[in-house]
Amino acid sequence: MSVQTTNGITDRELADLFERGAVFADRWPTAVRHRLDVPDPLAGTVRAALKGGRHVAITGAAGDGKSHLAMTVLDDLAPVTVHEVVRGQSLPEGLPKGTVVFFRDVSALTDGDVLTAVRQAIEDSLTLLLTVNEGPLNTLAPQDPTGFLRDIRDAIHRRSRGLEAPDPSGTVIVNLSGRQVTRGDFVSGVIQKILPVVRPCRVCGKSKNCPRVRGAQQLRRSRIAQERVARLLQMLTDRGRHLTTREIWAFLIDLFFGWTCIATNDEVDQQRGYFWNRVFDGDNAIAQAIREDFDPLRVARARDDANLWLGHSDDLGISLPLTPPRVLARSSIEEGLVMFTSAKRFYFFFAKSWDIDHTLAAFVPASQFGVLLTKAAGGEAVAAELAGLINAFRLGLKTREDLWISRHHSFAAHRRPAVLAASGKVPSSELVVRVPFSDEARTYPHSGFFPHRLLMGWSASDQEFVIDFPTWLELQGDRNLIVDRSQETLDFALDIFLSQGNPPDAADPEVLVYDHRRRRHTTLRLDGSEQRVEVL
């Protein structure tokens, strides 16, 4: 392993940091922060704002990289004077104009510390740079006599609902809660930082056969494999999960530094240490979530599977770095299956012939939901598609042009209503679908801002119906006529939302009745002139 010093830290020191799992970037010394920094397009925005004398508020959840972004910018902000606010200390008098007053972490300060420093900085025409979680911001905003924190809170709340909200005068707001870093170059950037310093586990010592090292070498040589690791992480965000930068760092570090071999040169045991298996079998929440959504083992590819079992690398178009499963299966079928599992997952990451986007779209509902979010984020109208899902769930209809205002026919404590009816409809064009964080996506188009859900409402009402991944998935399921709490909750939410609709009067209205038990449609046409009901 190279022991060269880069940016003030050796590869061995960096590997030791990874072995400890020390991924709290706000605690990294400057040398480590520079070495591990993945270029962020938002850094230029923050730097330009501060140099222009504008305040900057970086908000988001714990682990989103607020402190890292702020300190990376401050490292290159010279000759601007920076003063960090410290707990229990007020701002010193006489700070020069243009000084940046830095709040490294608002939650680590008392309310009094924050409010006093904000007031003093604004009165003295100093520039504010603060990193703050939404919880402390909500607490502080009503107490701030300057209105600075309240304006920030109100803006991020509106943007999180897909509403337009300009930055307050003289201030730039960067809300990292709306950013999905899997939709950019961040994952590949982190991989490039980790791979060069991977070293054998303590059992293997200096052996180059350690699965850590061999796996890192394979991944380092394959751009396709790196992209597929990133695609699996994006699959999780397709379902609306917000992965923080800290979670991604921890997961990718664990792929190579979280495994210790039981014994050297035990090929079967070592398979569990290769990254292509640890992505699915790692002892962490992200690996478990990936495996629940998708595992290549669940995708049957008859010819490829046969070649993998036999070890026919030429027919596969890749070189398998392991003993063919059939060879081990002669003495132990369990060992043969372990080797086949490893071979199939290796093939998933490295085979050019495997169209994984097609596979994920076919096998993973979250990827399909991601397509819906992508269309909405790109400005494509999706109201008709959502109306069609609701019509199908309630009335068994596939129509999308109108949203039928359906209501329950009856309720019972032990059984859900089997019959639903609708007597009015509203054109889908009257529905409004708001896309959270669309404001940030327009302002910073290459920074990964992306919605985690959609908000559907009426053009003349503030009532909103939240379309997140569980709701979207539930709308496509078969109705359970026995008590089903999740579907009951969805029905109640739809009842409230649909009650806000205002269908136009019809001269000869139709009543649609759908019996979910018998899967039978009945259409009643009401003829007002002849005062009769026609059953169609």
Side-chain angles (χ1 to χ4, degrees):
M1 177 189 297
S2 169
V3 293
Q4 294 180 346
T5 299
T6 306
N7 290 331
I9 182 172
T10 65
D11 287 355
R12 180 169 295 279
E13 289 171 332
L14 197 57
D16 289 339
L17 181 146
F18 290 155
E19 292 279 8
R20 299 194 305 271
V23 292
F24 291 86
D26 51 343
R27 301 177 188 174
W28 287 343
T30 302
V32 174
R33 190 164 60 250
H34 284 179
R35 176 78 182 273
L36 297 183
D37 180 57
V38 177
D40 188 338
L42 291 174
T45 299
V46 175
R47 186 179 298 109
L50 294 176
K51 287 188 174 181
R54 288 176 291 170
H55 307 305
V56 176
I58 305 175
T59 67
D64 271 336
K66 302 183 298 297
S67 298
H68 179 73
L69 173 60
M71 290 188 291
T72 298
V73 169
L74 293 179
D75 287 341
D76 300 324
L77 204 60
V80 176
T81 302
V82 178
H83 175 81
E84 182 172 347
V85 178
V86 179
R87 185 183 180 96
Q89 297 181 15
S90 59
L91 295 184
E93 296 182 2
L95 289 174
K97 294 292 178 64
T99 295
V100 172
V101 178
F102 177 41
F103 299 76
R104 183 188 297 261
D105 182 4
V106 166
S107 62
L109 304 170
T110 67
D111 288 0
D113 291 334
V114 176
L115 296 171
T116 300
V118 167
R119 178 180 55 78
Q120 290 179 343
I122 291 177
E123 290 177 352
D124 295 342
S125 299
L126 306 179
T127 303
L128 292 164
L129 170 60
L130 67 159
T131 67
V132 57
N133 295 347
E134 191 167 342
L137 180 61
N138 287 334
T139 301
L140 290 164
Q143 307 176 57
D144 180 16
T146 70
F148 172 73
L149 297 174
R150 183 192 63 244
D151 291 344
I152 294 172
R153 179 202 61 187
D154 293 346
I156 67 172
H157 283 184
R158 286 185 61 82
R159 292 174 184 176
S160 68
R161 294 181 56 208
L163 301 170
E164 291 187 2
D167 284 335
S169 177
T171 303
V172 171
I173 300 173
V174 178
N175 182 15
L176 300 182
S177 294
R179 183 164 72 162
Q180 296 285 28
V181 290
T182 59
R183 291 184 169 270
D185 298 328
F186 179 77
V187 174
S188 60
V190 173
I191 289 174
Q192 294 302 322
K193 300 294 182 180
I194 294 173
L195 293 182
V197 298
V198 174
R199 63 186 184 187
C201 69
R202 62 177 180 272
V203 171
C204 293
K206 297 182 179 181
S207 172
K208 295 182 180 180
N209 289 324
C210 182
R212 287 183 176 189
V213 176
R214 295 185 65 190
Q217 291 171 345
Q218 293 276 357
L219 185 58
R220 198 172 185 180
R221 291 194 295 262
S222 175
R223 189 68 179 176
I224 289 178
Q226 294 175 32
E227 291 172 351
R228 293 183 180 182
V229 172
R231 184 65 185 86
L232 289 177
L233 289 172
Q234 183 183 317
M235 178 186 72
L236 297 187
T237 59
D238 282 344
R239 63 162 52 237
R241 177 170 178 167
H242 177 69
L243 289 179
T244 67
T245 57
R246 183 180 299 165
E247 287 178 307
I248 292 173
W249 269 106
F251 172 71
L252 296 175
I253 289 172
D254 184 69
L255 289 185
F256 298 98
F257 290 87
W259 168 263
T260 301
C261 296
I262 296 176
T264 59
N265 300 321
D266 185 336
E267 186 183 19
V268 175
D269 171 70
Q270 286 184 329
Q271 296 308 311
R272 298 178 176 87
Y274 285 105
F275 82 87
W276 53 81
N277 286 314
R278 291 189 55 75
V279 164
F280 305 100
D281 294 337
D283 187 20
N284 57 74
I286 291 182
Q288 294 170 12
I290 290 174
R291 186 173 65 252
E292 288 175 5
D293 269 0
F294 173 77
D295 189 329
L297 295 176
R298 298 198 291 266
V299 181
R301 297 172 63 91
R303 177 173 297 180
D304 291 338
D305 290 348
N307 285 324
L308 288 169
W309 178 261
L310 297 172
H312 292 172
S313 295
D314 292 341
D315 294 328
L316 292 167
I318 60 172
S319 178
L320 291 173
L322 43 80
T323 300
R326 65 178 175 85
V327 174
L328 293 175
R330 294 170 183 167
S331 57
S332 171
I333 189 62
E334 289 80 9
E335 291 186 352
L337 292 175
V338 168
M339 200 62 72
F340 175 78
T341 295
S342 187
K344 183 68 173 285
R345 289 170 172 172
F346 177 89
Y347 185 65
F348 168 80
F349 283 107
F350 292 93
K352 296 180 180 179
S353 60
W354 193 332
D355 184 346
I356 68 161
D357 286 333
H358 180 270
T359 296
L360 294 179
F363 286 89
V364 184
S367 293
Q368 300 164 25
F369 185 63
V371 171
L372 174 66
L373 294 178
T374 300
K375 290 193 294 185
E380 187 174 338
V382 297
E385 182 175 344
L386 298 177
L389 291 177
I390 296 173
N391 289 334
F393 179 70
R394 303 276 278 196
L395 299 170
L397 293 176
K398 295 183 179 180
T399 178
R400 296 183 173 193
E401 290 77 13
D402 304 290
L403 176 62
W404 284 86
I405 310 301
S406 55
R407 294 181 176 87
H408 285 96
H409 180 264
S410 64
F411 285 99
H414 65 286
R415 184 178 293 277
R416 300 182 66 240
V419 178
L420 280 82
S423 58
K425 58 186 177 182
V426 176
S428 299
S429 58
E430 294 189 13
L431 292 170
V432 176
V433 178
R434 297 189 181 93
V435 182
F437 312 114
S438 56
D439 195 307
E440 288 91 341
R442 287 191 298 269
T443 306
Y444 311 113
H446 304 295
S447 298
F449 285 98
F450 192 77
H452 59 287
R453 59 183 183 175
L454 301 176
L455 304 172
M456 187 167 67
W458 307 101
S459 56
S461 171
D462 289 334
Q463 184 72 40
E464 292 177 337
F465 181 64
V466 178
I467 308 289
D468 55 12
F469 176 70
T471 300
W472 175 84
L473 198 60
E474 195 81 69
L475 284 172
Q476 297 175 84
D478 293 331
R479 292 178 67 87
N480 187 348
L481 301 182
I482 307 301
V483 172
D484 184 317
R485 294 303 183 192
S486 60
Q487 286 192 353
E488 280 187 343
T489 300
L490 177 55
D491 264 332
F492 287 139
L494 284 170
D495 281 341
I496 295 172
F497 174 69
L498 293 173
S499 68
Q500 303 296 315
N502 187 23
D505 294 332
D508 296 310
E510 290 182 346
V511 176
L512 300 184
V513 181
Y514 188 69
D515 187 331
H516 282 275
R517 182 177 292 109
R518 297 177 177 83
R519 299 181 182 274
R520 181 183 301 165
H521 276 285
T522 304
T523 302
L524 306 178
R525 179 172 296 161
L526 309 181
D527 190 329
S529 61
E530 299 183 11
Q531 296 185 341
R532 65 188 178 89
V533 177
E534 182 181 2
V535 180
L536 303 180

